[in-house]
Amino acid sequence: MSKPFCPLRSENKTLSLSLHQRSLHCPPDCAVQVLSTLSGVLRDLFRSQQEGGVAAGAQETDLSAAFQGSSLADAACLLHLMYGPHTASSGTFFRLSVAGRLLGVAGLAHKLDAAPVLARLGAHLQELAQRPLHFSLPTLLAALRVAQACQLAPAESRCLDAVAHSLAAGGSEPALLEAVDHSTLATLLVLLVDKARRLGGQQLPLPQVVDAVPYGGSSGGFTLRISGFGTAEEGYLLAEVASPWVDIGGFRWQLLVYPLGGQGAAHNLSAYLELDTQHALEAGVQDVGVRFSIAVIDQRTIGNTAIKSTSSPCVFPDKYNERCGRADFMPLRELRAPSRGYLAGGQLLVRAEVIVVGTEPAGSDAYT
């Protein structure tokens, strides 16, 4: 029998399950102990089978009824996540999304009441929704559909707000919105009206990339310009500010900046370089090794420019974290010092220099 496709690294743990004339098997004592803890539906199924005379040590425990209507691949992926809760990370959920399996796996987790997996999924969706300018409108809408299908109310609320934020920032794509149900469209309309009211009819201040220069096949640099300091719009800079994606070395990169403090360093500017993991996975690449530097530019005296660089290659993603950088890049008092020109003209300039030094294809364990 051929193995069911699952875009997750396998630990070769399976369980007795029959779907579409194919099956998975494992010792039932292991399955009962693990899955009874992680799924309310399976716990009830095991209990009912035992009460009906099926011994706990029987050669096979039939779970077909619980998984009815699901593909074998979705079942295999969910069982992988349930057996190894540490694998239910943002990186894993991104991989499932790229493979087109996140909605199916998430729906099965909801059907089986797999609470630990759903909790991690909800946290992932909320984290994604906190960065509406980082992700495309299709990605945000896909996250919203998953949250709604799993009835994850907090994540659904965050995703709705993120979609509205993306639309307010000029991310409207009518063809995508045609598939959204009327109730969701009505909610988005209310959110858009509220954002327009608070902005006084102005568009959200957007970050810009300037001086994007490819130096060669594997290196390049770009500058993120963040405007609006010292104006009524500055409050919108309290959240993470993400640059548009820039192609360097065959991959897509962006700068992430917390210009007024954040990421556990409330009195510091935080700055990170981030890889577009989904784009890399679609290209068949699992890990990317780079050397990079990030600089906050003094617009009056170039010699005062603050630069932080890596002394050794940084691997993206780092344990499923798609970013590398510093939470304490620069104290805010230094950023705002009148003697420095970091905020000259009400704008902040942050530059990244990137050199790709190596890659690992998807499925390799070289960096793990």
Side-chain angles (χ1 to χ4, degrees):
M1 181 192 73
S2 61
K3 293 183 179 180
F5 171 75
C6 178
L8 308 179
R9 295 174 183 173
S10 174
E11 297 179 6
N12 298 317
K13 295 180 178 178
T14 56
L15 113 119
S16 168
L17 169 62
S18 241
L19 289 171
H20 307 297
Q21 289 75 50
R22 294 187 293 173
S23 62
L24 300 170
H25 300 274
C26 85
D29 55 345
C30 168
V32 171
Q33 290 179 11
V34 174
L35 298 181
S36 291
T37 303
L38 300 175
S39 166
V41 170
L42 294 182
R43 181 169 57 250
D44 293 341
L45 177 60
F46 289 133
R47 183 181 297 117
S48 66
Q49 288 190 357
Q50 290 175 1
E51 291 173 352
V54 178
Q59 288 300 309
E60 182 167 308
T61 302
D62 184 10
L63 301 180
S64 300
F67 289 84
Q68 191 65 39
S70 300
S71 71
L72 189 62
D74 288 347
C77 290
L78 177 60
L79 292 174
H80 181 97
L81 296 174
M82 294 173 72
Y83 272 118
H86 62 285
T87 65
S89 65
S90 288
T92 297
F93 293 130
F94 275 126
R95 284 166 168 78
L96 286 171
S97 180
V98 170
R101 298 218 168 270
L102 183 57
L103 186 59
V105 173
L108 182 57
H110 174 63
K111 175 182 176 181
L112 298 182
D113 188 25
V117 173
L118 291 172
R120 288 175 176 254
L121 175 61
H124 162 70
L125 295 175
Q126 290 190 63
E127 180 183 356
L128 182 151
Q130 288 176 347
R131 302 153 64 190
L133 297 182
H134 169 72
F135 297 102
S136 66
L137 182 58
T139 297
L140 295 173
L141 286 170
L144 175 59
R145 284 193 292 272
V146 171
Q148 291 175 329
C150 296
Q151 298 180 17
L152 300 172
E156 179 183 359
S157 177
R158 290 284 183 87
C159 288
L160 281 167
D161 190 70
V163 171
H165 193 105
S166 178
L167 292 171
S172 178
E173 298 179 46
L176 294 173
L177 296 177
E178 289 178 0
V180 177
D181 64 84
H182 291 171
S183 176
T184 299
L185 283 175
T187 302
L188 289 172
L189 180 59
V190 171
L191 291 171
L192 279 168
V193 169
D194 180 64
K195 289 182 181 295
R197 178 185 58 79
R198 288 189 286 121
L199 281 171
Q202 300 179 25
Q203 191 180 50
L204 289 172
L206 299 178
Q208 296 177 307
V209 163
V210 295
D211 301 327
V213 180
Y215 302 139
S218 62
S219 64
F222 63 97
T223 301
L224 169 63
R225 179 191 308 169
I226 306 173
S227 303
F229 285 86
T231 71
E233 299 167 340
E234 186 170 300
Y236 288 98
L237 298 176
L238 288 170
E240 176 184 86
V241 177
S243 77
W245 293 106
V246 176
D247 292 322
I248 296 176
F251 302 97
R252 303 207 314 166
W253 306 90
Q254 70 176 182
L255 274 167
L256 306 174
V257 179
Y258 294 78
L260 303 180
Q263 288 293 87
H267 300 291
N268 292 269
L269 176 141
S270 304
Y272 303 88
L273 178 70
E274 181 156 3
L275 167 71
D276 185 346
T277 306
Q278 288 184 278
H279 178 266
L281 287 170
E282 289 169 355
V285 175
Q286 172 179 289
D287 298 307
V288 183
V290 304
R291 294 182 186 275
F292 73 94
S293 66
I294 299 177
V296 175
I297 299 174
D298 188 316
Q299 299 165 63
R300 295 198 189 106
T301 308
I302 296 299
N304 290 335
T305 294
I307 302 176
K308 301 290 194 311
S309 60
T310 55
S311 57
S312 58
C314 179
V315 177
F316 292 81
D318 180 12
K319 297 300 182 183
Y320 301 122
N321 184 10
E322 291 79 22
R323 65 179 66 176
C324 287
R326 296 282 296 272
D328 58 347
F329 189 95
M330 175 186 289
L332 293 182
R333 64 177 181 278
E334 181 180 349
L335 177 71
R336 295 184 176 280
S339 60
R340 299 296 177 91
Y342 296 126
L343 300 180
Q347 66 179 10
L348 173 68
L349 299 180
V350 184
R351 184 163 183 81
E353 302 281 348
V354 181
I355 303 174
V356 177
V357 297
T359 63
E360 286 296 329
S364 170
D365 291 332
Y367 287 137
T368 59

